[in-house]
Amino acid sequence: MKLSQAVFAERRQRLMQKMTANSLAIIPAAQMQSRNSDVEYPFRQDSDFYYLTGFNEPDAVLLLLPERDAGNTVMFCRNRDPLMEIWNGYRAGPEGVEAEYGMAEGHPVEQIDELLPQLLDGVERIYYAIGQDEQLDQQIRHWLNLIRGQARQGAVAPSELVMLDHLLHEMRLFKQPEEQDLMRRAGEISAQGHIRAMQYCRPGVYEYQLEAEILHYFMQQGCRQPAYSSIVGGGANACVLHYIENSEPLMEGDLVLIDAGCELDYYAGDITRTFPVSGRFSPEQKALYELVLQAQLHCIEMIRPGVLWNAVHEASVQVLTEGLVALGLLQGEVAELIEQGAYRDFYMHRAGHWLGMDVHDVGDYKVDDEWRPLEPGMVMTVEPGLYVAADNQAVEPRWRGIGIRIEDDVLITPEGCEVLTAAVPKHVADIEALMAAQ
Ligand code: GLY
Ligand code: MN
Ligand code: MN
């Protein structure tokens, strides 16, 4: 599944319509990152750059010039190079970005220092996400100084540098129908990966083996990488929120928490499930699990256009605090406990985040200092959790070391919401039935 070039071209035009007259946007590609010695990490394009180009090479810079008569899209990229291509793979080259990626002009990246000052001359405003690419930050400063130095010859340097993020990230926050299809598929693949791990799980299996089951499935479906490092935590490891060592054996009687999602053509899935290693919940595990599930279902139930972003989190806090009091893990008045933040000993993260090309996706959560209302086309996660630290002396020993999170991905629709990751079971009876069937 890949988005067509028409989708990327339309995004570029839409962004340019939002830019002011006589402006220019500079959007750099990601760089290769060294891993060790001469080995590099697998290349992952920058999400903003990919969103506007579909172009999957490093060492490139996209320019958008809304009013340029000679063409409003310019890309600097690596030249074609038969020898380098034999070693390192195909390059589109400047001709390729014109022919295959819809650019009005492609140029070798080596020419950027020569051509950019010419293109900047007379531009009033530059849109650029300063602070993310140190080398390009310096180059831009250099180009601006060059133009300023030619003022007496009539050159006019831009007077404003504006972060591009706001315009672009507001676009990325609302998923187009093509993106929704991709995210539906990413949700489905992620869900099936989790089912595979549940089926494989039994005492004595190592955490990394469950990770391997999931990654195997993702890759079989064409997802070369997960959207983020998979978390597989047995027992009290589930209380370490970003536990990615995944190195220990799973023990009879423990729960295991898996937080894993695939990346499909640059779109993320993000699912967490927590289930018993040996297939059946203990009474304490079940009590806490049912509480987290109740909070999660309640949040999903309330999600529809117009609901404020933070209302979902607040609802999860309400349900979890009430439940913690009912189970005896917290003592006191629910309203006061919420006021004091007492639940934070057990629930120290938020109920969700935007989801898209980045797992913690871009987009403002507040507008004019107010929590923003949900709108159709947004995608968010819903992921309440409870984590009872193994050394929490304030609760009875039987609760200690239990960590639970349940996470699904949700598309806001005009009527309510669609759960993109519904295929993986989360009700106690369904999980126990799936695991018993092995
Ligand atoms: N996997 C990261 C998160 O759930 O936010
Ligand atoms: Mn998440
Ligand atoms: Mn997650």
Side-chain angles (χ1 to χ4, degrees), residues 27 113 150 176 195 293 360 429:
I27 303 118
D113 276 323
Q150 293 175 350
Q176 302 164 264
I195 289 175
L293 183 60
H360 295 165

Side-chain angles (χ1 to χ4, degrees), residues 22 24 65 115-126 143-144 146-148 150-151 153-158:
N22 215 9
L24 176 154
L65 309 99
L115 294 180
L116 231 283
Q118 296 171 24
L119 292 166
L120 278 175
D121 184 2
V123 162
E124 282 168 19
R125 170 183 277 191
I126 302 176
W143 298 328
L144 290 176
L146 274 182
I147 303 173
R148 288 189 196 112
Q150 293 175 350
Q153 286 95 304
V156 181

Side-chain angles (χ1 to χ4, degrees), residues 322-344:
E322 284 172 9
L324 287 168
V325 170
L327 292 173
L329 282 96
L330 284 177
Q331 287 87 34
E333 284 291 320
V334 169
E336 269 174 38
L337 291 167
I338 291 176
E339 178 79 23
Q340 297 157 2
Y343 58 89
R344 289 205 189 96

Side-chain angles (χ1 to χ4, degrees), residues 176-228:
Q176 302 164 264
E178 301 86 349
E179 295 176 287
Q180 295 176 15
D181 286 344
L182 270 172
M183 293 194 73
R184 235 173 241 118
R185 182 78 187 121
E188 172 67 20
I189 293 170
S190 302
Q192 293 301 330
H194 276 260
I195 289 175
R196 194 180 155 111
M198 279 185 193
Q199 289 171 330
Y200 189 81
C201 188
R202 59 186 185 279
V205 162
Y206 279 75
E207 293 165 341
Y208 57 76
Q209 291 180 301
L210 295 190
E211 181 181 12
E213 286 299 303
I214 288 183
L215 295 184
H216 173 91
Y217 186 80
F218 289 176
M219 221 185 249
Q220 286 285 353
Q221 303 305 312
C223 305
R224 295 292 305 278
Q225 299 184 47
Y228 54 93

Side-chain angles (χ1 to χ4, degrees), residues 228 231 259-261 269-272 353 359-360 381 383 405 407:
Y228 54 93
I231 297 167
D259 184 344
D270 184 8
I271 299 182
T272 307
H353 50 82
V359 63
H360 295 165
T381 67
E383 51 178 306
R405 178 164 65 257
E407 175 175 31

